[in-house]
Amino acid sequence: MPTSVQIRPLQHVSAAEALAWHQVVAASTAHDLPGVPTPDPGQIHAQLTGPALGSHRLTWLATGADGTPVGVAALRVFTSPGQDHLAELELHVDPAHRRLGTGSLLLEAAVAACRAENRRSLITTAPADGPGEAFSTRRGFRRAMTLDHLMLRPDELDRADLLLLADAEHPGYRLTGWTGTVPDALADAFAAAKNAMNDMPVGDLDYGSVAWDADRVRAMAEVVAARGDTLLTIAAVHDDGTMAGYTEILLPQGSGPRAQQYDTAVVPEHRGHGLGLWVKAAMVRRLGAEHPGVVEIETDNADDNVHMLAVNHRLGFRSYRRTREFQLDVPTT
């Protein structure tokens, strides 16, 4: 273990500490995921200091003898019923300082925090077949799920085909959309639809489940807005007022060229009518009209989520990388 490395918990992340954090994450991402954009220091500061939905966050910064930042770790400790056994770890070490024990020291701090918080499961994500996967496996994590990351470039789509999908007739259903917080008249219906995510395939991951209500969906939108991001939603509403399905897109602070797909779900009793493809096609059309600077949309699906993978491939998403979710049973002593 490197005696010259100091692991320091961050109580209140300053702008300078966010800059140090960014330095490590940028170097790690460029090495492990070339081409994947890194949040800027302002975005990282907002992510580390803003509110977190159904959780709280613990953070550590590792520095060398000269004060250079060499590693970071963030632990999201879930607090909602149904997930209060769980914590999620993000850990980065600057490639120039790897294999010197820094990652192990950061992981030890995170595992100790899990024990102190009475969390029995720790999950983390790493690029498939990369150094993060090897690190996780050596330290007792088991592979729980593989995620297929897909990219859509709207300017490469057949415009006529997109309009055909977005304008398809779905008798008994209508489309509606909003930016940010769901309108009050739709809040309860949206919360009910959100609960459809609880049967999403998650491999062997012990992710638990979340009960959504109107207050929680409002709080989620407030968390996104507080860190400077924009959340777009399109939903399919049945004639009886039930929200049958929806899709969400996140535009990171600054409206860069890449949007992130958030949830897409169809309520079980409304499946089999093509609603997932409908709302996603309508969202791509909306992005083109309202946010023409977006040239890429990234999404991910568990590799056993064959239905949503088929929907995304039909729309024009193409696989471009894979990550894996790992889970550690936290030792009690």
Side-chain angles (χ1 to χ4, degrees):
M1 292 294 176
T3 57
S4 59
V5 171
Q6 178 185 7
I7 306 296
R8 178 167 58 93
L10 303 180
Q11 303 300 325
H12 303 285
V13 180
S14 67
E17 289 166 338
L19 189 62
W21 193 288
H22 175 267
Q23 180 179 325
V24 173
V25 173
S28 174
T29 302
H31 182 273
D32 298 339
L33 292 170
V36 174
T38 304
D40 64 36
Q43 290 172 306
I44 285 179
H45 189 241
Q47 291 168 0
L48 293 176
T49 59
L53 183 63
S55 62
H56 64 267
R57 188 182 296 106
L58 303 171
T59 54
W60 296 267
L61 175 66
T63 53
D66 60 356
T68 301
V70 296
V72 296
L75 187 70
R76 183 182 179 190
V77 181
F78 291 84
T79 55
S80 297
Q83 289 189 309
D84 52 7
H85 65 291
L86 184 67
E88 185 173 22
L89 176 66
E90 178 185 359
L91 191 154
H92 296 272
V93 176
D94 187 310
H97 298 274
R98 290 179 180 172
R99 305 192 68 82
L100 299 173
T102 301
S104 296
L105 291 174
L106 288 167
L107 178 59
E108 286 176 9
V111 170
C114 285
R115 288 199 296 266
E117 297 273 354
N118 295 314
R119 296 304 183 269
R120 70 173 187 269
S121 294
L122 176 62
I123 60 176
T124 193
T125 305
D129 305 316
E133 176 168 349
F135 174 86
S136 299
T137 302
R138 286 197 302 270
R139 281 149 184 83
F141 285 81
R142 65 179 182 277
R143 185 191 299 181
M145 180 171 63
T146 298
L147 290 169
D148 194 4
H149 292 251
L150 305 100
M151 191 74 74
L152 178 72
R153 294 179 172 83
D155 63 344
E156 296 178 359
L157 298 180
D158 182 313
R159 183 68 179 172
D161 185 53
L162 175 64
L163 294 177
L164 184 66
L165 295 173
D167 293 330
E169 292 290 331
H170 290 80
Y173 299 94
R174 62 180 175 85
L175 291 178
T176 188
W178 62 88
T179 299
T181 305
V182 60
D184 288 344
L186 293 172
D188 288 330
F190 186 39
K194 275 277 186 182
N195 285 306
M197 290 296 294
N198 284 327
D199 70 355
M200 176 181 66
V202 292
D204 296 321
L205 197 66
D206 180 18
Y207 199 72
S209 60
V210 174
W212 290 88
D213 58 20
D215 288 340
R216 185 178 178 88
V217 296
R218 293 187 185 102
M220 181 202 70
E222 290 168 2
V223 166
V224 171
R227 64 177 187 242
D229 299 337
T230 301
L231 186 64
L232 308 178
T233 308
I234 285 183
V237 179
H238 191 263
D239 286 346
D240 65 4
T242 301
M243 191 170 292
Y246 67 92
T247 191
E248 299 169 318
I249 285 285
L250 182 86
L251 302 178
Q253 179 188 145
S255 297
R258 182 177 296 186
Q260 295 290 330
Q261 179 77 62
Y262 264 27
D263 291 350
T264 299
V266 177
V267 176
E269 52 267 35
H270 295 278
R271 292 173 184 169
H273 301 292
L275 301 183
L277 183 59
W278 189 32
V279 295
K280 289 176 75 78
M283 177 63 83
V284 174
R285 180 174 60 182
R286 178 182 175 184
L287 280 172
E290 298 179 9
H291 302 276
V294 172
V295 298
E296 296 176 325
I297 304 169
E298 182 177 0
T299 191
D300 61 72
N301 299 115
D303 63 356
D304 59 350
N305 191 350
V306 293
H307 175 71
M308 191 54 66
L309 281 168
V311 167
N312 284 327
H313 286 144
R314 171 65 184 88
L315 187 56
F317 281 90
R318 296 293 178 260
S319 300
Y320 84 107
R321 66 182 180 96
R322 288 157 68 85
T323 59
R324 295 199 171 104
E325 298 274 350
F326 295 87
Q327 186 152 340
L328 176 70
D329 296 326
V330 177
T332 55
T333 58

